Every structure is written in structure tokens, then in C-alpha cells.
Amino acid sequence: MSSAMLTSNAIASLHSDEKGEFAVQVLTVKPFKETGRYSCTLTDGTTKTKAMTTKTSSLLFKDGDVEDFGVVKILEWTTNEVRGEKVVIMLQAEVVCKSLGEEVGAVAAAVTPAPKVARTEKNSAPSSSSSPPSNAKPIVQRSMTSGSRRVQPISSLNPYAPSWTIKARVTSKSDMRVFNRKTDGQQAKVFNIELVDEQGTEIQATMWHEVADRCFAQFQVNKVYFISKGTLKPANRQYSQVNNQYELTINERTEIDECMEEASFPVVPTYNLVSFGNLAAQIDGKNSFDVMGVVQTVGELGSVKRKSDGNELFRRDITLVDSESRSVHLTVWNRLATEEPGPELASKMSSGENVVLLAKNLRATSYNGVSISTVARSQLFLNPECSEAAELRTWYEGGGKDAPTVAAGAGLSTALGPGSLQGTKSNLKEMQPEELAPASAAPEFFVMRSTVCRIKPDQPMYYLACPEEGLNYKVVEENGGYWCEANQKRYPNFKRRYIMSFQAMDNHASCWVSTFNEQAEAILGQTADELAELRECDSKRYERTLKEACWRSYNMRFKVKTDEYNGESRRRVVAANVSAVDWAAESKSMLDAIKAM
């Protein structure tokens, strides 16, 4: 019988997890106990191996689609070792021929173990050398093309499918984080990347310890890779904002191959847009968000120095406008400013082209009322192909270009003047409804003018913090120095930072508010170290300072969240921003509100 229907060396390829589709003949098909699965023998005409079906692939035998001496094409599989012999687990297969009536090839009657094989760096045919050990290092093979791999979408991944390969682009890459483990004090390393496939599905991948060292230089942002044999587990929302229920851990067995056909990898972005009018509700929020707008201006490439380490950060400022004629200031940082699409966007604008920009995974700040900026995991897409972009372009070219615009932070000036922004309340009474929100609910933000009416002099007021710029960790006195548990460092001195509470009121209600260093400094007019000196040396002047800070009005932005303590729910109010009232801006806002009536 001719063996032309079978794939040459298919058994060796299956045992070595070669990628592809392999046609084999099925022999001695038997039900496996009461599991609903089947056991069988597979042959490629020269070599045999034992095999098992899953509940899905069992349907081929149960429905009679294939019988003894039939031919199937195995699409997905994994291998298990039983008593020193490899067994192929068929995850997905399709029928080529129901039955040939006899066995193909002159094969010995006994099932022989398949020879172990190893792949060369260019994925050549299997050889007789041994397969990689379980602790083999991940290798980037720079010659891979799409045609040599069978890939599946990220959305289909789950912890119960051991054999899979994805093709994805690296959209962001964190810095390498080095820390001491609390369990044994040993140094550990970790970094993560975010991946997106052609369908726009994202997933976070994490690498630890030696794997992190080996892979850190291999993964490059914007490059495309084939990845297989990672470990999937439920995503930890404390450390991941990627919209996927699973996250990927890349370990010693993971195979990583760079795809050389990046141009054939068009990503269809998925998005959850926030309108410019609702951006104020995103200020200081933990969750990222997406926006879409027409680009009005693109600034020159600039840079600033980070205070904590002196590193130079590149930036580019962009102004966007939406179909409601609201504008917002977007700051693009580092790679997105220096590499694509920053320069491409600047080039298109200089040529007079109207560009629609989709910006994903942003954060909002209260600068100039409300501003938005990119973070490490942000992505920018120029002229995305979607209905929202088409409608926005039609509006802009049909007259929106010449329409007067209003800043998204109108009513939230630099001084955070109260206005009629969506997501805010007008007074302290409305901010404190009788019914508490559940503790699992996201925090709410409210903007209003309030008066500081009481500051208790006997409260803690401040704590001892790391003296390093940009670090706010707590330190404790120990053996003549100051020990920081968070970063495992010892310091000869410290700095104080405020943790003050005060009572705020307006003409509707009052409440107790917690606040931190910058906001307390704005209220008291001095640093925590200066106030501590008064408290220790001149108690009367200390109390007088607190009294003088009362009965002054400020524009405040409150963050309200329900906390649970000892089984009891309570509302916690934090002053996230405190600034002096700009009475001129306040008057203008009131006049605009009157005119709009």
C-alpha cells in the first residue's frame, strides 16, 4: 500500500512538538475504559506510537467518521510520557480517509519508541539528536515566517490547553525590577511585557529570575513574535490592567521565535472610548482609558529630567478635538514621542493632512483643569479603520475644523474652580448620600469650593519617610539609623511627610477629610519638618499656626471611597487636590452658567 497519504517522519515530529499538521494512519482503535475517550496506535509508515483522544477528538471515532486503518490529520496535540514511552494526546484532528483497509508500510508489529529529535536554529527537519531538556533556555529564532507556524488567537488561550502557539506584537515592556524576597531575603528579578494579536486581543506576559535575564534583551517593543509553551493563570488585577482574564508566565520551556513578517501583521485595535466631556471623572483614577480625536496641533520634540534619578524623558505635546468641539491636551512620552507614530504624525500635520488619532491606555491629571498623557503601556493608532473615526473625520471636514472649541477642563481651571463637569457634585451634602456605595465600587471624584474649619492639634500630623527624592516609603528608627522595609534600605536621616485630617464645610454640610503632603502644605503654608520643629519647641505657636489655617476657602477635589474595617463599612474622603480660589475665573464660570440658562 502506498504511503503517499501520510506525512514523512510524522511520529518524530509529533514527539518533538514540531509545528505543523501531520497525516498519520490510525490502528487498533479501542474505547479507553469508561472515560468516553479512545486509545489507538499511530503510524507514519515507518514508525509507530501510542495515542489517546480527548473528549473532543473522540467524536471522530464515536461517530464512525474514522475506523481502523483510517487516516487523520492531527492539527493540535501534546505529548505525555508513560512508563518511559511517549504517548500522543490528540487535541484536534480531522479525517482524511475513513479506512484504507490495511496497514500502510512494512512496520514491525511492536510499537517502538519514537526517536527523540532536536530542532536546529532554522527549524529544519528533525534529526536523531536528543530533544531539548526541560530546562532549555528560550531561544529567539530570527528566521521564522508565518507559513511555518500554525497559530491561534490569544482569546482562545486557557490553562487547560497545553499545546498552543500565538503570534503577537509587543506593545509595551516594563523595566527590570530587582527586589529582595520577604520569604528568604534572596534577590529576585521580574519584568513583564504586553502582547496584542491581529484580532486586537491583549495579554500580559511575565518573566522571573534567570528567564527574565535571558529574555529582557530579546523582547523589543513593536516587534512580532511566535510564543508557545508558556503557563497561563488567572490575571492578578493588582498588577495588571490588561483586559484579559488570564496572564502568561514565560518559563524555561517557553519557545520564543521572532517573526520576520511584521508588515503582514495588521492589528485591529479594540477600544473603550471616554468622551472628552467625561475626562474629569478619570483624574487620579487607577484604571486606564482610551480616547479618539482629530489632531489640531503637534508640538516639537522636547525633554525633561526626572527628579528621582536625573534620567532624560522625551515628550511631545498634541492637541485633540472631538465632535462636541471639546479640546484636550495630550502629552506623549518617550518611545511614542521619538519613534513612530510621533514623527509620522508630525510629518502628516506639516503637510496639512487631517489625522484621527486613537490613543489607548492613558491616564488623566488635573493639569490645566484636565490633561491626558501616555504611560508605558499606551498605544497610538493613526487613522484607525472604524465607524467612530469615519464619523469624526466627516464632522471635522464638514465644518468642525472652523468651529470654536472649549477645553475639556473648562470649569476646572488650574486652580480647580468648581463647574458643571459631568461626574462632579456641587456641594458636600450631595457628596455624602445616606446610602454607602459598596466597598468594591470604584472611587468617585467631586470638585467644589470648601472651607477648612477645624484641624485637631493632637493628631499624628506626619510620619517619617525615606529621604530619597520621589520615595514616600515609611522608615522606622533602628540602631541609630532609619530602616525602610519597602525597599530594604537603611538611611542616616529621614524627612517628614503630612498625613493630616481636617474638617471641611460649605453652606450645605461638613465632613472630615484626610489629606497628604502636598495638599497639607497648601493649607498650612509650611513643610512637615517646619511644623514638627514648632510642635517640639513652641507648642503655643504650633497651635496658633493650625488655628490661622482655618476659615480659609479652597478649591478642592475630593476622592470618595467606601472602606471596610473590622466588618464595618465607612465612607473615606480624601482631598486629592487643594488650591487657592481664582476669584476671577470663578466669576467668569458663574457668568457663563447664567448666559447658558
Side-chain angles (χ1 to χ4, degrees):
M1 177 71 64
S2 171
S3 61
M5 297 182 67
L6 308 184
T7 303
S8 177
N9 294 323
I11 303 303
S13 298
L14 291 172
H15 281 190
S16 62
D17 288 334
E18 284 292 321
K19 305 303 176 184
E21 301 174 354
F22 303 97
V24 293
Q25 188 178 29
V26 181
L27 308 174
T28 59
V29 180
K30 297 178 182 178
F32 186 73
K33 299 180 180 179
E34 301 297 328
T35 63
R37 302 194 298 169
Y38 291 80
S39 66
C40 60
T41 299
L42 303 179
T43 176
D44 59 12
T46 58
T47 308
K48 292 180 181 180
T49 187
K50 291 181 179 179
M52 291 285 297
T53 65
T54 62
K55 289 187 177 180
T56 300
S57 57
S58 293
L59 297 177
L60 297 177
F61 303 98
K62 185 177 180 180
D63 296 341
D65 295 333
V66 63
E67 300 174 350
D68 275 348
F69 307 118
V71 178
V72 298
K73 181 183 290 184
I74 299 180
L75 307 177
E76 293 184 27
W77 74 97
T78 186
T79 57
N80 287 342
E81 192 166 311
V82 180
R83 299 184 183 91
E85 185 177 356
K86 285 191 173 182
V87 177
V88 174
I89 310 299
M90 293 187 289
L91 303 176
Q92 184 178 352
E94 62 182 29
V95 179
V96 177
C97 176
K98 185 173 182 178
S99 179
L100 295 176
E102 60 180 301
E103 182 179 340
V104 172
V107 187
V111 176
T112 58
K116 295 182 178 179
V117 299
R119 287 173 295 172
T120 65
E121 201 166 28
K122 292 187 178 181
N123 247 25
S124 60
S127 67
S128 60
S129 58
S130 61
S131 61
S134 61
N135 61 349
K137 296 180 180 180
I139 299 174
V140 171
Q141 302 176 2
R142 306 190 66 85
S143 61
M144 295 302 300
T145 61
S146 298
S148 58
R149 287 283 180 124
R150 178 181 178 86
V151 299
Q152 63 189 80
I154 290 176
S155 59
S156 69
L157 297 182
N158 66 79
Y160 310 104
S163 179
W164 50 262
T165 298
I166 59 172
K167 176 185 175 185
R169 186 185 297 277
V170 177
T171 57
S172 74
K173 173 182 170 182
S174 74
D175 295 330
M176 181 75 78
R177 187 166 71 90
V178 181
F179 62 97
N180 292 327
R181 289 190 292 237
K182 292 184 179 180
T183 54
D184 54 13
Q186 296 295 314
Q187 189 180 80
K189 295 182 179 180
V190 63
F191 84 98
N192 58 63
I193 58 175
E194 292 181 11
L195 303 165
V196 62
D197 64 8
E198 293 177 281
Q199 286 74 38
T201 309
E202 299 172 308
I203 194 169
Q204 177 174 290
T206 304
M207 282 138 281
W208 296 86
H209 315 313
E210 293 82 5
V211 177
D213 279 331
R214 291 198 295 268
C215 293
F216 189 78
Q218 294 177 344
F219 280 115
Q220 299 295 323
V221 175
N222 274 338
K223 288 192 174 182
V224 180
Y225 299 86
F226 296 101
I227 301 174
S228 58
K229 294 186 178 178
T231 302
L232 284 155
K233 64 179 182 179
N236 186 340
R237 293 303 177 194
Q238 183 178 355
Y239 302 106
S240 174
Q241 293 186 353
V242 175
N243 185 25
N244 197 314
Q245 63 177 320
Y246 299 115
E247 60 186 37
L248 172 65
T249 299
I250 292 178
N251 52 43
E252 292 85 354
R253 291 182 56 81
T254 303
E255 297 173 5
I256 309 163
D257 303 302
E258 183 180 343
C259 175
M260 304 307 293
E261 300 176 342
E262 295 183 25
S264 65
F265 190 83
V267 176
V268 180
T270 57
Y271 47 85
N272 185 16
L273 299 179
V274 172
S275 67
F276 290 5
N278 289 330
L279 286 175
Q282 305 295 326
I283 294 176
D284 300 325
K286 291 184 178 180
N287 296 326
S288 59
F289 57 90
D290 311 331
V291 301
M292 185 183 294
V294 180
V295 179
Q296 277 194 318
T297 62
V298 178
E300 296 292 332
L301 183 65
S303 65
V304 296
K305 283 193 174 181
R306 187 160 51 196
K307 289 183 180 179
S308 59
D309 54 16
N311 287 343
E312 189 174 28
L313 306 176
F314 293 97
R315 58 177 290 170
R316 193 185 295 269
D317 296 327
I318 299 172
T319 304
L320 301 175
V321 63
D322 68 359
S323 58
E324 296 179 351
S325 295
R326 289 185 179 271
S327 64
V328 70
H329 180 85
L330 168 65
T331 302
V332 177
W333 291 96
N334 295 332
R335 173 183 57 83
L336 294 175
T338 57
E339 303 173 13
E340 300 302 340
E344 180 187 357
L345 180 57
S347 174
K348 288 179 179 292
M349 291 299 294
S350 63
S351 65
E353 181 178 345
N354 297 328
V355 179
V356 176
L357 178 67
L358 168 61
K360 287 178 54 63
N361 303 320
L362 306 178
R363 68 182 182 93
T365 67
S366 57
Y367 179 73
N368 281 341
V370 60
S371 298
I372 55 179
S373 64
T374 62
V375 294
R377 60 187 298 264
S378 299
Q379 296 173 261
L380 301 181
F381 297 91
L382 304 186
N383 297 321
E385 296 183 2
C386 59
S387 58
E388 291 89 346
E391 292 172 3
L392 191 56
R393 181 185 294 278
T394 300
W395 166 81
Y396 192 74
E397 295 176 349
K401 178 190 253 184
D402 302 319
T405 60
V406 177
L412 264 180
S413 64
T414 305
L416 284 180
S420 57
L421 284 169
Q422 298 181 32
T424 65
K425 300 295 182 182
S426 60
N427 57 63
L428 291 174
K429 184 177 181 180
E430 292 182 354
M431 190 182 76
Q432 304 174 87
E434 292 184 10
E435 185 176 349
L436 286 176
S440 59
E444 293 185 275
F445 293 89
F446 304 89
V447 178
M448 65 199 72
R449 186 172 72 249
S450 303
T451 301
V452 177
C453 62
R454 187 183 178 190
I455 305 174
K456 291 181 179 180
D458 57 349
Q459 63 178 296
M461 293 297 294
Y462 39 74
Y463 71 98
L464 307 186
C466 294
E468 286 188 59
E469 187 69 30
L471 292 182
N472 304 331
Y473 302 136
K474 180 182 178 181
V475 298
V476 293
E477 188 173 2
E478 184 180 279
N479 299 327
Y482 297 90
W483 172 252
C484 176
E485 182 68 25
N487 62 11
Q488 301 288 299
K489 287 186 178 181
R490 188 179 304 278
Y491 299 96
N493 54 14
F494 60 86
K495 64 180 178 183
R496 295 178 178 88
R497 291 183 62 84
Y498 283 113
I499 47 168
M500 185 182 78
S501 295
F502 66 92
Q503 188 176 20
M505 66 175 296
D506 60 11
N507 58 338
H508 294 274
S510 66
C511 69
W512 281 97
V513 181
S514 301
T515 194
F516 300 103
N517 198 63
E518 290 76 12
Q519 293 74 35
E521 284 184 356
I523 293 173
L524 298 174
Q526 54 189 290
T527 65
D529 285 327
E530 292 169 342
L531 187 70
E533 185 177 353
L534 286 181
R535 190 173 194 173
E536 295 169 3
C537 302
D538 191 342
S539 59
K540 291 185 178 180
R541 189 177 171 190
Y542 163 73
E543 292 185 10
R544 187 166 63 248
T545 299
L546 299 187
K547 288 181 179 180
E548 290 174 352
C550 295
W551 304 111
R552 294 182 180 178
S553 297
Y554 299 90
N555 285 319
M556 300 185 188
R557 181 169 186 79
F558 296 110
K559 176 183 176 181
V560 181
K561 180 79 168 64
T562 301
D563 290 340
E564 286 188 358
Y565 183 75
N566 288 337
E568 180 181 352
S569 296
R570 60 183 182 181
R571 181 182 289 113
R572 184 169 184 242
V573 181
V574 176
N577 194 295
V578 174
S579 54
V581 178
D582 184 341
W583 296 106
E586 187 86 355
S587 300
K588 184 177 183 302
S589 177
M590 293 177 67
L591 288 171
D592 290 342
I594 293 172
K595 290 178 182 178
M597 291 181 178

